[in-house]
Amino acid sequence: MTKSGSAPLQHIPVMLEEAVEGLAVKAGGRYLDGTFGRGGHARAVLSRLGPGGRLLLMDRDPQAIAAARTAFADDPRVAIRHDNFSALADWDETAAGLDGVLLDLGVSSPQLDEAARGFSFMADAPLDMRMDPTRGESAAEFLARADEREIADVLWQFGEERQARRIARAIVADREATPFTRTGQLAALIERIVGRREPGKHPATRSFQALRIRVNGELESLQRGLEAALERLNVGGRLSIISFHSLEDRAVKLFIRDHSGRVQGSRRGPPVAAAPARLEAVGKAHFPSDAEQVANPRSRSAVLRVAEKLA
């Protein structure tokens, strides 16, 4: 995230080589990048495809799709769709099967850098936070209608904000006089309630993350997208998924584990028959190198997990 008045961070693909290597790209294979962003990972996949290969690009952000069309509309190997990756199975292009699915989760640098999108508390802007501003409810609309308990639950569940109840109570009290419509307005309230408790970290960080996840239904989209990807992957196809916070990474880790064929359940409970194995983790979780973290501070919290479809 950039500080007010500083130059925007350059959009640098996170763990580019590791994520694309995880796909084990075949020259004639079919691959889907469900979070195109500005195309760093997509370009790397495309460079490994031959004339008979196919690359499917999705993003829920209209600006990302516009960038994809500008860059790749003339390449016969590429198909582009404006949609959430959770709906990948609804795209006829995926019905023939996929040899790999790449997801780079969370908010992108271009979304953060454009203040008008409302993702950042570092510049005052409309309180929107939608990855697709043409659909759904904005953060301002959510805060205008949700009751105190719902707001507190969102801040705690998706942001692990310890002052969730106090913040929610203050939002509900203050919105009667002045609805929350600006990022600066909300950030100032949170700072007033929370204070500067963590050196180097803005007090609104957790709350803004939580609202963004809620507004965009990110965890629900991830679960649906993982299920859809598993169904569309060919045997031997790969999932390559980059997460940026523990809630995402836990969901990915559990999805791979739950489809690995291992026996689940408590040692104290009755034995639980293992379901047939459909996925196998490829190696351990990957983390950005020290050099990458220095070059691209946004990569610091990233985790890459790769899995292969068995059946």
Side-chain angles (χ1 to χ4, degrees):
M1 189 168 293
T2 58
K3 294 183 178 181
S4 179
S6 64
L9 288 175
Q10 181 184 358
H11 181 65
I12 305 172
V14 172
M15 286 193 280
L16 175 62
E17 292 300 322
E18 297 92 333
V20 175
E21 287 297 326
L23 292 175
V25 176
K26 299 178 291 187
R30 294 174 62 86
Y31 298 89
L32 182 141
D33 181 347
T35 50
F36 175 80
R38 291 301 181 269
H41 293 104
R43 287 182 177 86
V45 173
L46 197 59
S47 71
R48 290 162 168 79
L49 292 180
R54 189 73 165 155
L55 178 60
L56 312 181
L57 304 177
M58 298 182 77
D59 206 296
R60 65 196 301 185
D61 188 331
Q63 293 184 13
I65 290 300
R69 288 175 176 147
T70 297
F72 299 115
D74 295 332
D75 193 319
R77 300 171 296 172
V78 175
I80 302 168
R81 181 180 177 95
H82 175 211
D83 211 340
N84 191 324
F85 65 76
S86 65
L88 69 89
D90 297 334
W91 190 6
D92 290 344
E93 281 275 4
T94 68
L98 299 168
D99 296 302
V101 173
L102 188 148
L103 302 176
D104 181 8
L105 304 174
V107 65
S108 70
S109 295
Q111 289 168 334
L112 284 171
D113 292 341
E114 186 179 341
R117 301 295 298 271
F119 289 104
S120 174
F121 42 75
M122 295 300 187
D124 187 45
L127 187 58
D128 195 311
M129 295 192 187
R130 289 173 295 174
M131 293 179 179
D132 183 351
T134 69
R135 305 176 188 177
E137 180 181 56
S138 70
E141 290 167 337
F142 170 73
L143 292 179
R145 65 142 186 93
D147 61 26
E148 180 181 323
R149 181 174 180 177
E150 185 177 3
I151 295 171
D153 285 348
V154 165
L155 299 184
W156 171 247
Q157 291 174 12
F158 300 147
E160 298 180 324
E161 172 52 67
R162 290 173 296 192
Q163 301 296 325
R165 293 191 181 280
R166 290 183 62 206
I167 295 169
R169 191 178 306 121
I171 289 172
V172 170
D174 287 13
R175 74 185 181 188
E176 293 185 11
T178 308
F180 285 85
T181 60
R182 308 286 298 183
T183 57
Q185 179 189 6
L186 179 61
L189 177 141
I190 295 170
E191 185 169 6
R192 187 184 83 216
I193 299 297
V194 175
R196 292 278 180 171
R197 67 185 182 207
E198 297 179 72
K201 190 171 187 177
H202 193 285
T205 299
R206 297 178 190 275
S207 295
F208 269 62
Q209 172 188 292
L211 287 170
R212 189 203 83 217
I213 291 171
R214 167 60 179 78
V215 164
N216 292 289
E218 291 178 39
L219 296 181
E220 296 89 345
S221 292
L222 176 57
Q223 194 62 42
R224 293 197 303 271
L226 290 171
E227 295 286 355
L230 180 58
E231 293 308 314
R232 285 295 193 242
L233 277 175
N234 298 322
V235 173
R238 295 282 188 89
L239 283 173
S240 185
I241 304 177
I242 303 170
S243 306
F244 287 88
H245 59 73
S246 59
L247 296 174
E248 291 173 339
D249 183 53
R250 176 177 171 80
V252 175
K253 181 180 178 180
L254 291 180
F255 183 82
I256 296 170
R257 186 203 69 181
D258 291 347
H259 290 86
S260 68
R262 286 183 286 174
V263 175
Q264 308 296 332
S266 169
R267 291 178 295 176
R268 297 180 182 178
V272 179
R278 302 189 68 196
L279 274 178
E280 180 178 41
V282 177
K284 298 181 179 181
H286 301 266
F287 302 91
S289 67
D290 292 343
E292 179 172 6
Q293 292 183 49
V294 171
N296 182 13
R298 181 174 177 257
S299 72
R300 289 174 183 165
S301 61
V303 183
L304 168 66
R305 295 187 186 274
V306 177
E308 183 172 310
K309 184 171 179 178
L310 302 176

